[in-house]
Amino acid sequence: MKKAYDVIIIGGGVVGCAIAWFLSHFDLKILLLERELDVCCGVSKANTGILHSRSYLTPGTVKGELHQRALSWFPEIEKELDFHPTVTGALTVAFNQDDLNYLKSIKKIGKYDDAEILSPQESRILEPNLSDRIVATYYDPHAAVVSPFRLTLAFAEGAALNGVKFHFDRSVGGFDQQGKKIIVHTPNENYEASYVVNATGLSSVKIAQKSGDRVPDLSAFKGEYFLLDKESQGLVKKILYPIPNSVSKGILVSPTPEGNILAGPNFESSCADDTSTTPQGLNEVKAGAQKLVPQFPFNQTIQIFAGIRPTLPERDFLIFVSKKYPGLIHLCGIESPGLTASPGIAEYVGELLVQQGLSLKNKDQIIFRKAFPVFHDCDWEKREELIAQDPDWGQIVCRCEEVTIAEVKYALRMNPPARTMDGLKRRIRVTAGRCQGSFCQMHLPSIVMNLLNIGIQDLLKSDKNSNLFVGETKKVVNAHATPH
Amino acid sequence: MPHHIDCDVVVIGGGPAGMASALSAWNHGARKIFILERNDYLGGILNQCIHPGFGLQVFGEELTGPEYAARYIDQLAKTSIEVMTETTVLDLTPNKKITAVNPEGVWEFYSESVILSMGCREKTRGMIFIPGFRPAGIYTAGLAQYLVNVEGYLPGKKVVILGSGDIGLIMARRLTLEGVKVEAVVEVRPSLSGLIRNYVQCLLDFELPLLLSHTVTNIFGKERVEGVEISRVDQSWQPIPGTERLLNCDTLLLSVGLLPENEISRKAGVSLCHFSHGPFVDESFSTDLDGIYACGNVASVFDLVDYVTLVSQKAGQTAAEYRDKKPIKYQLNPGSGVGLVIPQRVRQVDNGWLFVRPDQSFRDGKVQFRTQGKVFDKKRVAVCRPSEMIRYDLKNIHWPEEGGEVIVEIIGNPIEGI
Ligand SMILES: Cc1cc2nc3c(=O)[nH]c(=O)nc-3n(C[C@H](O)[C@H](O)[C@H](O)COP(=O)(O)OP(=O)(O)OC[C@H]3O[C@@H](n4cnc5c(N)ncnc54)[C@H](O)[C@@H]3O)c2cc1C
Ligand SMILES: Cc1cc2nc3c(=O)[nH]c(=O)nc-3n(C[C@H](O)[C@H](O)[C@H](O)COP(=O)(O)OP(=O)(O)OC[C@H]3O[C@@H](n4cnc5c(N)ncnc54)[C@H](O)[C@@H]3O)c2cc1C
């Protein structure tokens, strides 16, 4: 028997999870289907993590409209989801007169009273490591950074707390109409819903085309990054943007909310599943970062990675109702600033669903999500209190990020739960620090196997075939037991 | 309120360095001594080193890592040194307040002397910029050693090992014994990094190939490693285009270097040496902060545990005696051919050692000591390698009357090949 839902959301990226959270405010039966074993495994896992401020709006586009909506909504969302953005502010850096004109134009778009154009001296007081070849910067105090994992998981956890179901390992292959219902096909089982939202990131165009809708083909553009050790903390305190070029915001240097430094991304033609880093790409990022910060300490790199932008020729979001299935909504081309715009996108999708006949009835009560404590960020008093409540808080498993067993247990039991090493990393930062897991992975496998009651063959890094181990070592045999 | 403890000596880390320094402090009269160890066992890295080769210098016999550790664990049991396991030190201040946590709560130690012996960590893939995908199956060699030897998990069936240092060589043999196919050991240098003994016993005896002047230039496989691309490199270790070739494997082990683990030292404001990546130390292994000492791999990566023990005993003794120090007389820096020298500071030359790590392999070489441009001593070395520190008794070096900066350099014929 097929299970029937009011709304099925396909895709557990930041956008799908934001939609799930938004719709969970209403009296609806909602399911989210995700191909991978966790949320935040697609575009949302590898990006710059900036909540771009109003200065970066693109007026006259869908992107710009939804970006704007999201920005005015975030303070309220933060109260409900407790996802801690870090307001760092940003400097957009001009190296010549044309650049300076651009700064003046974004100042007009931003319309912030407290944003201003700074001289090189003023800029370098704020950011002493900035290049001395700059002619001016535009200082915007409102730009913020957020962990993309934390934001996505906050939406997902908030949605789950308010009744949304998550099914993982469900790759949607196509649809059927059955009366007024849409049947959603996956290799495992079929689902039935009145409304369906296709928020599948890099796959969304293909899925839209498969459902009979005409959408231009998607182009995939890769962006590569360097992530520095926390030792580099303070190298820059604000986001340093270059002047955008015709294709992207350019290679920037940014602090992360956890205290690392990020440089990237470049913009290179790629394909949807090629998340590999390349020597050329990395060199390009290097040059870009050094242009802003000549002394950029690449020798403090702890990780290199790449993300893929799902871009349409128009370079705008394309969010529309299917011609064939009146209850189906496609979200295509959700590239930057998709992370920032995600709640705006969610609200807009809600409006489209209402236009298509869905009725949104407010629930009597909404459960707010409270972030689980992060031992590393607690003061000593709080740490003592936590250990007194539960000794697991006094057991550190990850030395670099100071993550405790209590947090591992939480990550494995929260909803949606971590089921893989990367799932743990994205929730609580084990293996995300300077040793990149070479210490905590000594003990984590057995801890996780015990807590989940699984065997060695089920221990995965991220995907279904990403087994960490192939088996066990040889066993000692009693020599006397094998007589000749 | 945190638990509050006043004491004579706190040792951070219960590996061989921590154990030897605590015992030495005890033997030199200190009484209230604590060893704080994060794991639930003492011995540090030794527990995963189940191969023999430890203790030849200290005990005159060949022990395995766990056997070597056991000797010290037994000696500790005969003292009143307090060992706190499952206790992680999170903070150290310049005036020697240590804050640690364990399941019983938060602990504050106020100690006359603090000995840093936190060991080292392994360099990872990101630090050496290997491009490609990030699938499962990429391990640092030391982590793999722990998982295989202590936990009994097998990381893969077909491996490529990057780095011909001793850990890489030993893992090549260890995995072969487990029925794992070792496709190649790949080394970016033109010469072997590890000990010849390990090359013979771990690679030659098992007919495992060593590829010198090669490196891994790409990693394939989205979920699990499916292969790596290797390339020949030029003299500056840059891959030569056109020399790429694919090695099929499901695992890549990285044995590409160790780094002293000095987060805690940094919090206290101990100044760190750019070459050793550990604190600047003198011949008694005092750091530049009064009453704080550093020994073992936290000071500088020692390849032999026996050397770790020697220097740690020295640190323990000084920590127990805690007397006024003579001024620094010589400041030592590595010159050409030398990766690092330890100690970097010498106050008195009548007691102690100097360790010199070559930055490449040389034949028919000499180690030269220079000050103000003039060579004041030189010593012959037939063969030297980055994997083996050269050790001198300080008193056997003809130090000049006047103090100052001393450059230590190695001149010799670079070795290409094994
Ligand atoms: C290099 C780079 C930098 C960026 N920087 C920023 C930034 O600083 N600020 C900002 O606001 N935005 C930024 N973005 C944009 C932002 O990351 C994306 O817009 C956003 O993450 C898109 O989220 P999504 O949920 O649409 O896609 P995804 O995160 O890709 O989610 C789609 C999900 O659908 C699943 N899926 C796919 N096919 C199927 C199927 N058939 N069945 C079931 N599930 C399926 C996937 O597994 C995936 O989990 C950046 C993007 C890139 C690439
Ligand atoms: C993977 C690997 C393999 C090796 N193989 C060999 C070999 O075959 N032969 C050989 O002679 N040498 C080998 N060595 C060298 C070996 O490291 C040294 O011989 C010796 O173990 C170093 O001793 P140590 O006490 O300085 O460090 P470790 O043995 O690393 O001990 C450090 C201890 O400090 C603890 N610690 C660290 N930080 C904290 C904290 N904040 N709070 C509490 N406790 C803490 C750690 O848990 C650990 O137990 C190997 C080294 C490595 C890394």
Side-chain angles (χ1 to χ4, degrees):
Chain A
M1 210 189 77
K2 290 178 265 18
K3 296 158 196 161
Y5 293 88
D6 295 317
V7 184
I8 287 182
I9 298 151
I10 315 168
V14 69
V15 173
C17 293
I19 296 170
W21 167 77
F22 173 69
L23 292 179
S24 75
H25 289 71
F26 309 102
D27 231 337
L28 296 170
K29 212 168 153 217
I30 305 166
L31 172 70
L32 187 147
L33 296 176
E34 166 57 53
R35 178 179 61 187
E36 305 295 334
L37 303 176
D38 198 356
V39 296
C40 208
C41 289
V43 184
S44 305
K45 83 169 174 195
N47 53 59
T48 322
I50 296 178
L51 296 182
H52 296 289
S53 76
R54 244 168 31 213
S55 309
Y56 268 93
L57 289 175
T58 41
T61 61
V62 181
K63 265 183 191 180
E65 152 76 19
L66 301 182
H67 181 180
Q68 166 113 37
R69 281 200 202 188
L71 287 179
S72 38
W73 193 12
F74 265 123
E76 213 182 307
I77 299 176
E78 164 61 8
K79 281 186 214 139
E80 207 174 311
L81 292 180
D82 199 19
F83 67 91
H84 311 314
T86 310
V87 179
T88 55
L91 292 179
T92 307
V93 181
F95 287 93
N96 57 43
Q97 191 57 42
D98 285 349
D99 292 357
L100 184 57
N101 293 337
Y102 174 82
L103 298 189
K104 290 176 184 153
S105 73
I106 55 172
K107 184 169 188 302
K108 279 200 200 113
I109 295 175
K111 292 197 199 95
Y112 291 116
D113 294 337
D114 48 0
E116 53 189 329
I117 293 184
L118 303 180
S119 70
Q121 291 83 342
E122 290 167 324
S123 312
R124 284 164 56 87
I125 289 172
L126 290 180
E127 292 292 353
N129 292 315
L130 198 53
S131 163
D132 56 12
R133 294 178 35 220
I134 60 173
V135 299
T137 65
Y138 165 70
Y139 171 48
D140 173 342
H142 301 277
V145 293
V146 67
S147 152
F149 317 135
R150 204 190 302 150
L151 180 61
T152 307
L153 278 154
F155 282 131
E157 201 180 5
L161 281 172
N162 289 290
V164 174
K165 296 263 177 305
F166 288 77
H167 286 189
F168 293 104
D169 192 14
R170 296 290 183 276
S171 181
V172 172
F175 311 98
D176 262 336
Q177 189 87 41
Q178 206 172 73
K180 289 198 144 180
K181 305 275 185 193
I182 302 171
I183 310 298
V184 179
H185 299 286
T186 79
N188 319 58
E189 55 193 311
N190 293 341
Y191 298 88
E192 190 183 294
S194 309
Y195 297 88
V196 175
V197 181
N198 164 19
T200 54
L202 289 157
S203 311
S204 64
V205 164
K206 233 183 258 156
I207 291 184
Q209 290 171 343
K210 228 187 250 178
S211 70
D213 289 299
R214 288 188 50 191
V215 196
D217 282 335
L218 193 98
S219 310
F221 289 96
K222 191 190 284 188
E224 303 189 29
Y225 293 93
F226 287 87
L227 181 74
L228 301 191
D229 193 305
K230 285 182 178 174
E231 216 178 291
S232 60
Q233 187 165 17
L235 176 77
V236 302
K237 294 170 238 42
K238 307 186 185 327
I239 302 159
L240 302 186
Y241 287 104
I243 303 296
N245 50 43
S246 57
V247 291
S248 80
K249 295 193 185 68
I251 294 162
L252 47 86
V253 173
S254 168
T256 72
E258 289 83 18
N260 305 80
I261 299 284
L262 193 63
N266 63 335
F267 191 90
E268 58 189 292
S269 183
S270 177
C271 57
D273 62 353
D274 181 2
T275 50
S276 65
T277 48
T278 64
Q280 303 80 332
L282 293 171
N283 279 335
E284 216 182 303
V285 173
K286 219 172 202 173
Q290 278 167 336
K291 184 165 182 209
L292 295 168
V293 180
Q295 303 300 323
F296 197 87
F298 289 98
N299 60 348
Q300 290 178 7
T301 303
I302 60 172
Q303 189 56 278
I304 48 180
F305 63 92
I308 311 288
R309 305 172 179 88
T311 60
L312 291 172
E314 293 284 321
R315 297 304 299 272
D316 198 0
F317 300 166
L318 182 61
I319 303 177
F320 65 101
V321 179
S322 165
K323 292 257 153 36
K324 189 163 163 209
Y325 302 95
L328 172 60
I329 294 176
H330 299 297
L331 291 86
C332 300
I334 312 294
E335 54 169 324
S336 187
L339 190 74
T340 317
S342 54
I345 298 173
E347 194 186 50
Y348 180 57
V349 166
E351 289 163 11
L352 289 180
L353 289 171
V354 169
Q355 278 173 25
Q356 297 309 105
L358 178 70
S359 73
L360 297 184
K361 192 170 141 273
N362 274 309
K363 278 184 185 157
D364 296 340
Q365 207 194 0
I366 287 297
I367 302 171
F368 282 21
R369 168 197 183 258
K370 191 89 199 94
F372 198 66
V374 177
F375 184 81
H376 176 82
D377 298 340
C378 295
D379 60 22
W380 287 109
E381 213 173 312
K382 177 78 184 162
R383 289 175 176 186
E384 256 196 290
E385 191 187 306
L386 289 170
I387 301 172
Q389 279 165 21
D390 178 356
D392 284 342
W393 285 104
Q395 283 256 42
I396 297 201
V397 270
C398 165
R399 64 162 86 173
C400 307
E401 299 292 317
E402 299 175 352
V403 184
T404 65
I405 293 276
E407 289 157 279
V408 174
K409 287 188 174 168
Y410 154 75
L412 295 174
R413 88 173 168 251
M414 74 173 273
N415 198 6
R419 282 293 169 268
T420 62
M421 288 295 159
D422 280 357
L424 282 175
K425 168 165 94 179
R426 293 185 194 129
R427 282 167 181 78
I428 54 170
R429 292 185 60 74
V430 274
T431 77
R434 61 166 56 98
C435 89
Q436 288 287 301
S438 54
F439 281 118
C440 47
Q441 281 189 77
M442 290 177 157
H443 307 294
L444 265 181
S446 62
I447 292 171
V448 171
M449 273 157 48
N450 278 336
L451 288 173
L452 290 183
N453 201 9
I454 57 172
I456 190 168
Q457 68 285 355
D458 296 324
L459 213 50
L460 302 174
K461 176 177 184 282
S462 51
D463 312 313
K464 262 168 288 181
N465 300 309
S466 65
N467 298 67
L468 285 181
F469 305 110
V470 297
E472 297 190 1
T473 51
K474 293 174 181 171
K475 295 287 162 278
V476 180
V477 196
N478 185 344
H480 302 292
T482 53
H484 270 283
Chain B
M1 287 294 285
H3 306 268
H4 175 123
I5 291 181
D6 295 299
C7 52
D8 299 333
V9 181
V10 169
V11 177
I12 308 178
M19 294 195 291
S21 60
L23 280 166
S24 167
W26 174 268
N27 292 335
H28 288 89
R31 279 302 165 261
K32 248 191 133 191
I33 306 175
F34 283 80
I35 299 181
L36 309 181
E37 166 59 48
R38 165 201 13 230
N39 286 323
D40 58 4
Y41 48 83
L42 290 172
I45 294 293
L46 290 177
N47 292 297
Q48 68 192 65
C49 301
I50 59 172
H51 50 279
F54 298 80
L56 275 171
Q57 310 233 1
V58 171
F59 295 109
E61 59 181 307
E62 261 210 352
L63 306 172
T64 65
E67 284 170 339
Y68 190 94
R71 300 253 166 139
Y72 289 87
I73 294 172
D74 291 348
Q75 286 181 51
L76 281 174
K78 293 181 195 135
T79 68
S80 315
I81 295 171
E82 290 215 37
V83 177
M84 288 174 62
T85 53
E86 287 184 274
T87 303
T88 305
V89 174
L90 293 180
D91 196 26
L92 171 65
T93 65
N95 51 6
K96 294 172 289 181
K97 175 185 150 193
I98 294 163
T99 317
V101 295
N102 68 13
E104 285 163 53
V106 176
W107 299 72
E108 287 178 359
F109 296 85
Y110 297 82
S111 186
E112 288 288 318
S113 300
V114 176
I115 300 179
L116 306 171
S117 55
M118 291 87 75
C120 61
R121 66 190 154 91
E122 300 183 270
K123 280 200 191 171
T124 62
R125 182 244 180 117
M127 299 173 79
I128 56 168
F129 311 116
I130 306 176
F133 286 95
R134 299 194 294 151
I138 305 169
Y139 290 94
T140 53
L143 169 61
Q145 185 180 47
Y146 178 88
L147 291 169
V148 171
N149 290 347
V150 180
E151 299 285 337
Y153 307 150
L154 221 45
K157 291 186 175 138
K158 224 173 174 195
V159 333
V160 168
I161 298 175
L162 180 60
S164 67
D166 289 309
I167 308 174
L169 299 177
I170 282 169
M171 281 312 287
R173 173 177 65 187
R174 181 71 187 93
L175 289 172
T176 303
L177 292 174
E178 286 293 343
V180 174
K181 175 107 175 48
V182 175
E183 284 295 314
V185 175
V186 179
E187 168 59 57
V188 72
R189 294 171 189 267
S191 61
L192 179 77
S193 282
L195 302 172
I196 289 284
R197 181 186 78 186
N198 282 333
Y199 170 67
V200 173
Q201 295 178 359
C202 300
L203 298 192
L204 277 191
D205 286 358
F206 295 88
E207 296 174 24
L208 302 178
L210 170 67
L211 294 170
L212 298 173
S213 294
H214 277 76
T215 192
V216 172
T217 43
N218 209 341
I219 299 175
F220 303 108
K222 266 191 79 84
E223 305 193 25
R224 173 84 201 191
V225 174
E226 287 165 15
V228 299
E229 177 192 88
I230 60 167
S231 304
R232 183 173 276 287
V233 298
D234 62 20
Q235 278 163 344
S236 48
W237 299 4
Q238 290 307 306
I240 304 171
T243 62
E244 301 85 1
R245 116 176 119 98
L246 177 73
L247 293 182
N248 283 314
C249 60
D250 63 8
T251 307
L252 173 65
L253 289 196
L254 301 173
S255 176
V256 292
L258 302 170
L259 283 175
E261 167 91 346
N262 278 287
E263 281 75 30
I264 307 279
S265 327
R266 211 171 277 123
K267 282 187 183 165
V270 170
S271 50
L272 300 178
C273 167
H274 177 66
F275 300 103
S276 66
H277 300 283
F280 284 105
V281 288
D282 65 17
E283 72 280 5
S284 339
F285 289 83
S286 303
T287 69
D288 65 350
L289 287 188
D290 211 29
I292 302 186
Y293 305 82
C295 58
N297 283 358
V298 84
S300 152
V301 174
F302 289 86
D303 8 79
L304 274 185
V305 73
D306 299 74
Y307 287 173
V308 167
T309 301
L310 283 183
V311 304
S312 304
Q313 286 168 339
K314 193 103 203 153
Q317 173 181 355
T318 328
E321 292 168 351
Y322 192 66
R323 45 175 186 215
D324 282 345
K325 288 185 278 194
K326 295 265 188 313
I328 291 171
K329 186 155 185 205
Y330 306 104
Q331 289 186 329
L332 278 54
N333 278 313
S336 81
V338 174
L340 66 91
V341 291
I342 194 104
Q344 301 90 341
R345 283 150 193 201
V346 174
R347 298 171 197 272
Q348 285 175 285
V349 299
D350 50 347
N351 196 345
W353 306 276
L354 172 65
F355 297 90
V356 179
R357 186 183 295 286
D359 70 1
Q360 55 177 307
S361 304
F362 292 104
R363 207 185 302 284
D364 305 323
K366 53 185 184 235
V367 178
Q368 293 194 150
F369 299 83
R370 261 192 310 133
T371 186
Q372 293 173 345
K374 276 209 301 265
V375 174
F376 62 82
D377 198 355
K378 49 183 139 182
K379 318 236 171 237
R380 293 176 46 98
V381 280
V383 175
C384 63
R385 301 178 176 279
S387 54
E388 284 172 277
M389 281 180 158
I390 309 167
R391 177 171 65 137
Y392 298 109
D393 245 319
L394 284 178
K395 60 177 179 292
N396 292 341
I397 297 167
H398 303 292
W399 298 95
E401 213 35 60
E402 224 173 283
E405 200 204 351
V406 171
I407 304 286
V408 184
E409 61 198 8
I410 302 180
I411 321 273
N413 301 319
I415 298 179
E416 297 219 351
I418 303 312

